[in-house]
Amino acid sequence: MKIKSLLIAVAALVVSVNAFAQDAANDVKKKYNEAVALVKAKNYAEALPLLEQAADEALTADVIEVFEGAQKLIPTCYFRVGLSLVNTDTEAALANLNKADELGLLYNDAKTSRQAKAAISKVYKVMGANAFNNKQYAEAAEVFAKGYAVNPQDTDLALNLAMSYCESQNWENGVKVYTDIIALESRHSKFVEPAAKAKEALSNYLLVKAQGENEAGDKEAAYATLETLVNADQTNGANQMFRLQMAGQNQDWDKIIEWAELAAAFQATPEEVSDVYYLLGAAYDSKNLNAEAIAAYKQVVAGDKVEAATARVKELDEFLKAEAAAKK
């Protein structure tokens, strides 16, 4: 009789546990269905806590379909809640959008993650623009940098960040961001236009910086700045030429001799190539390297310096002949 009573008690316990489990599963499904209805009605803020509760309880109740269904909806709800707050509470908006990005990646919802990244970029662009327009460049850079960290392929934001760095004299970071934008050009055709903008802006900023350094008497710093510029875009013949002209202003003939052939290789027209060789001829001429000067001047074949180069070749030829005759 004791054994029979024990079996009956165990059976009753099993029935009780099964009933409890079934009740829990039903409660989870009910909560999930309520959340789905709210999502369909676009009441994302109300749906979100129900979905998160349903996901947590579904694991305990072993209702896998509810857990998986909640996972699919939770990133979207965070994204939608974030969007709804953009114009009223940017901090809360960013918190929700960042959560959407994080959970989108965690739950294999790549689309929502991408959308969240794009929205985060836009929020930071608006916030950074306000600071930039008030000439608070360091603050603008700090804001733009947060968005850039989330979405480094948002080239509009990246250009704003690089500009803010340069305006605040943070040259190292400004050059790095511009260089990174330029590097994107090789990855996809959509980056060709922003890369061109980055090249132009980088050139303008560094040329102004170099000119200022040179005028302040720090020509080595100026040359280092121009070296950075040339390395960022060696195909830019104008930048190469600017470096030669600065060396000419400083009468650094050896620098011109060092840089001229590279500069000539990237000039776009015969006139521009001739301008390079005219400077090279003048550098050799100033160092009394007459044969080398003649060779350089003879490559001046177009533009407004042909006459001067031709005349100087004639003078140097006559000088060399007279020098040779004197040695006899």
Side-chain angles (χ1 to χ4, degrees):
M1 290 295 293
K2 291 182 178 179
I3 294 175
K4 184 176 181 180
S5 298
L6 180 60
L7 291 173
I8 291 171
V10 170
L13 179 61
V14 170
V15 171
S16 175
V17 170
N18 287 339
F20 177 79
Q22 188 60 49
D23 288 343
N26 289 335
D27 287 344
V28 168
K29 290 177 182 178
K30 180 180 178 182
K31 192 172 292 183
Y32 173 71
N33 289 332
E34 289 176 6
V36 170
L38 288 169
V39 170
K40 290 180 179 178
K42 299 183 179 180
N43 293 328
Y44 303 107
E46 294 180 41
L48 190 50
L50 286 176
L51 285 169
E52 291 182 321
Q53 290 171 22
D56 289 340
E57 294 171 11
L59 285 177
T60 304
D62 197 26
V63 188
I64 301 303
E65 67 273 17
V66 167
F67 179 72
E68 292 176 345
Q71 279 189 329
K72 292 178 181 178
L73 293 173
I74 288 172
T76 297
C77 286
Y78 272 112
F79 174 65
R80 293 296 178 180
V81 171
L83 284 184
S84 71
L85 295 169
V86 166
N87 295 322
T88 57
D89 189 342
T90 53
E91 292 301 323
L94 287 169
N96 281 278
L97 291 170
N98 279 310
K99 196 70 174 178
D101 178 27
E102 174 191 336
L103 294 179
L105 293 173
L106 181 63
Y107 296 156
N108 296 317
D109 185 353
K111 179 180 178 181
T112 298
S113 177
R114 286 195 303 270
Q115 290 176 327
K117 283 182 170 67
I120 291 168
S121 295
K122 290 179 181 178
V123 173
Y124 279 120
K125 273 189 281 190
V126 172
M127 294 171 64
N130 291 333
F132 188 91
N133 291 337
N134 289 321
K135 298 185 178 181
Q136 298 169 326
Y137 302 120
E139 181 180 331
E142 184 177 345
V143 173
F144 288 136
K146 292 177 181 177
Y148 184 64
V150 175
N151 191 8
Q153 291 192 8
D154 184 335
T155 51
D156 288 338
L157 188 149
L159 287 166
N160 289 340
L161 172 60
M163 181 167 56
S164 298
Y165 277 138
C166 289
E167 289 291 341
S168 60
Q169 309 297 298
N170 188 339
W171 299 108
E172 182 178 356
N173 282 325
V175 169
K176 183 182 185 307
V177 176
Y178 276 131
T179 303
D180 288 345
I181 298 169
I182 293 168
L184 290 173
E185 184 177 15
S186 63
R187 296 179 58 179
H188 195 282
S189 59
K190 69 179 180 180
F191 296 121
V192 170
E193 183 177 348
K197 291 180 180 178
K199 290 176 184 178
E200 181 179 1
L202 179 62
S203 177
N204 290 338
Y205 274 119
L206 291 188
L207 289 178
V208 170
K209 180 175 183 284
Q211 190 66 51
E213 290 166 337
N214 200 57
E215 290 174 356
D218 192 350
K219 67 179 183 179
E220 293 306 319
Y223 292 154
T225 296
L226 292 177
E227 183 74 12
T228 298
L229 177 58
V230 168
N231 288 340
D233 182 17
Q234 281 202 346
T235 63
N236 189 320
N239 292 340
Q240 300 266 11
M241 191 64 185
F242 189 91
R243 183 166 68 166
L244 289 181
Q245 290 170 337
M246 181 172 288
Q249 292 172 15
N250 296 333
Q251 297 186 5
D252 285 339
W253 313 123
D254 289 335
K255 292 293 187 183
I256 293 177
I257 293 168
E258 177 186 348
W259 295 330
E261 292 295 342
L262 179 63
F266 292 107
Q267 301 306 309
T269 67
E271 289 80 7
E272 291 170 351
V273 173
S274 294
D275 286 345
V276 171
Y277 280 110
Y278 187 79
L279 283 173
L280 179 58
Y284 281 130
D285 207 346
S286 298
K287 289 174 67 68
N288 295 317
L289 297 171
N290 298 319
E292 290 86 345
I294 290 171
Y297 283 134
K298 284 184 175 180
Q299 295 192 66
V300 180
V301 296
D304 58 3
K305 297 179 177 61
V306 173
E307 184 176 346
T310 302
R312 188 55 183 156
V313 167
K314 184 178 180 180
E315 291 171 356
L316 289 173
D317 275 336
E318 291 174 353
F319 174 81
L320 289 177
K321 289 176 182 177
E323 188 178 51
K327 289 180 179 179
K328 291 179 181 179

